[in-house]
Amino acid sequence: MGFWENIQHIDRRWIYLLVAIAVFFPMIVVMHFPIEITPEARQLYEAIDALPNGSVVMLTFDYYPSAMAETQPMSIAALRHMFSKDMKVLTLSNIPLGGPSIAERVTREIALEYDKVYGIDFVNLGYKANYVAVMHGLASSIESIFPSDYSGTPLRDLPMMKHVKNYRDIEFIFVVADNATVDYWISIVNAQYGKPVGSGVTAVVAPKMYSFVDAGQMTGLLGGMKGAAEYERMVDISGSAIRGMDAQSLVHLLVIFFVIVGNLGFFMSRGKDGR
Amino acid sequence: MRTTVPVIVAFLSGFVMVVSFFFNPDRTFIGRAQDVVLQWVTIVSGFTLVLGVFSIVRVNGRAVVRRTEDWPFKLATVISVFAMAIPAMLPVSTTSVGGKIFYSILPQSWGSWFGTGTGSIYDWLFNFVDSPMMETMFAMLAFYIASAAYRAFRARSADATLLLLTAVIVMLWRVPMGEAFLRLFGDSIPDYLNTFIMNGFNVAVQRGIIIGAALGAASMSLRVMLGIERTYMGKG
């Protein structure tokens, strides 16, 4: 068996080892490559930044723990941006497992840094089944869909919710998602109720969202960990997405290297066979 | 009867949703009817969750009782369902539903373990068991994707070559190191890629897919409303 045939049949554990090295190497040697801001990410940042201080914004946690590496940094950066402008933040999740707990933990952690008080500056609505019905229902009355918050406190006992009754009282909706719920935030909440919606989604979901941004139905987009890193840079924080960019850069380059070597092996061995 | 009633319910639910879309909910009854139907949907969805739990317990419980292959894993599934669900549903204080009776038996200090709040059993299981497991499973994809890219991503045809080149370019563009590399060939190259690949070809294709899927969903909804499509009732 020649060199190129050997290359074709390399033990996959060598590939796994190289990927592991590419992930761990940036933890030892920090490389700082500049993070360029895409127009879509800048549009989202500017839309939130342009809101008056004290505005009510909705931040959704529509993601499972499996996508946290990409999506949680978006939520954290968004919360820092919103709290720094004294906005009132209403969080909810359309995902039964993960989203509500992550929203509760992350929002309370960030709120502490900005001296924000639960019930006055932010409220976590939690989860309700059937997101299509939830999105429609919030248009008429938030309290009819969520009589109480995530912890079971009735909404009428929360000072912030005395002035937030439905979408009319919310200035902007920032959807952080790893699944199709973001489509419904566009087709129901933006298209039917006219609320501006921006989103931060996983890299897999992002390509589809470009068509909504292009049509003006979505106000800005963060795609994957790179999108989260862009938002962190604009908010001027050094979060986990910026730190993760080095590892992601190396792994992307490694995969490209594998594709090139794999194809070289394929063509060289095919040439030898005379096919 | 078993077929007629579901078809009538499906027709009326769909009809109300379609018609009420065109009426002002603040002024007309039919406009407000949408809210009523949606409240019903939320209630029915709650019951489907209960049905889901019942189903998972029945299927896995039967396998445990019969000691079928991999029964310990099925037992773990059943235990996990109850370990997450029961502490989350128990009252957190005397003001919760059923809390007075519950805390006349158990000490009130146990309240912090129940519910879904920070420090509860549910929260602990989520943060230290469920979340790490899901993240680990997803993280392992990086290794499989790298291996698959090496073995399967071949330029066997013109189409495959085009796909491969686009993938390589987008992968380079989407990371800072790759972006810095692309800028060596021209400062505006990353911007061109964003404009032509993501906002050009990508948007054109995605719109086609979205419009096609929407038309498909509309025709399927119509079939369900008219009783032509009955597979949701377990019928062909």
Side-chain angles (χ1 to χ4, degrees), chain B:
Chain B
M1 191 69 176
R2 290 181 67 178
T3 307
T4 313
V5 172
V7 168
I8 291 170
V9 170
F11 175 79
L12 287 176
S13 306
F15 183 75
V16 168
M17 291 300 287
V18 172
V19 173
S20 66
F21 180 78
F22 297 99
F23 289 86
N24 188 335
D26 296 331
R27 291 183 192 165
T28 57
F29 168 74
I30 190 74
R32 284 192 296 276
Q34 188 186 40
D35 289 343
V36 177
V37 174
L38 288 171
Q39 279 176 3
W40 273 94
V41 172
T42 309
I43 293 164
V44 173
S45 301
F47 282 104
T48 61
L49 286 178
V50 177
L51 197 66
V53 172
F54 175 74
S55 174
I56 205 166
V57 170
R58 197 180 64 143
V59 171
N60 289 285
R62 193 181 291 161
V64 172
V65 171
R66 291 179 185 169
R67 294 287 195 274
T68 57
E69 195 184 356
D70 296 336
W71 69 269
F73 298 112
K74 297 177 195 304
L75 179 64
T77 304
V78 176
I79 291 171
S80 304
V81 167
F82 288 111
M84 288 290 274
I86 291 174
M89 289 189 297
L90 291 175
V92 292
S93 67
T94 49
T95 54
S96 310
V97 178
K100 275 186 184 163
I101 302 165
F102 189 75
Y103 288 107
S104 63
I105 304 162
L106 293 174
Q108 281 196 33
S109 56
W110 288 21
S112 59
W113 295 350
F114 306 130
T116 54
T118 310
S120 61
I121 293 172
Y122 173 90
D123 188 55
W124 191 91
L125 285 171
F126 172 75
N127 284 323
F128 300 111
V129 181
D130 186 63
S131 182
M133 282 198 302
M134 287 177 86
E135 287 175 68
T136 305
M137 289 293 288
F138 205 65
M140 282 164 67
L141 277 181
F143 295 91
Y144 295 130
I145 286 172
S147 177
Y150 184 70
R151 289 165 199 287
F153 212 2
R154 297 279 186 265
R156 291 176 200 275
S157 63
D159 297 352
T161 310
L162 203 60
L163 183 67
L164 193 147
L165 286 175
T166 313
V168 167
I169 291 168
V170 171
M171 281 182 71
L172 269 178
W173 166 65
R174 283 306 292 174
V175 287
M177 205 183 283
E179 205 171 7
F181 173 74
L182 288 170
R183 282 193 193 280
L184 294 176
F185 302 97
D187 240 13
S188 345
I189 285 186
D191 303 327
Y192 284 138
L193 292 176
N194 193 38
T195 306
F196 290 111
I197 295 181
M198 298 312 287
N199 283 303
F201 300 122
N202 171 57
V203 165
V205 172
Q206 294 292 349
R207 276 198 185 140
I209 295 170
I210 292 168
I211 292 168
L215 289 173
S219 63
M220 178 57 85
S221 304
L222 204 59
R223 283 171 62 87
V224 171
M225 280 174 66
L226 297 176
I228 302 166
E229 177 62 51
R230 296 178 181 201
T231 47
Y232 69 95
M233 288 186 275
K235 294 175 193 275

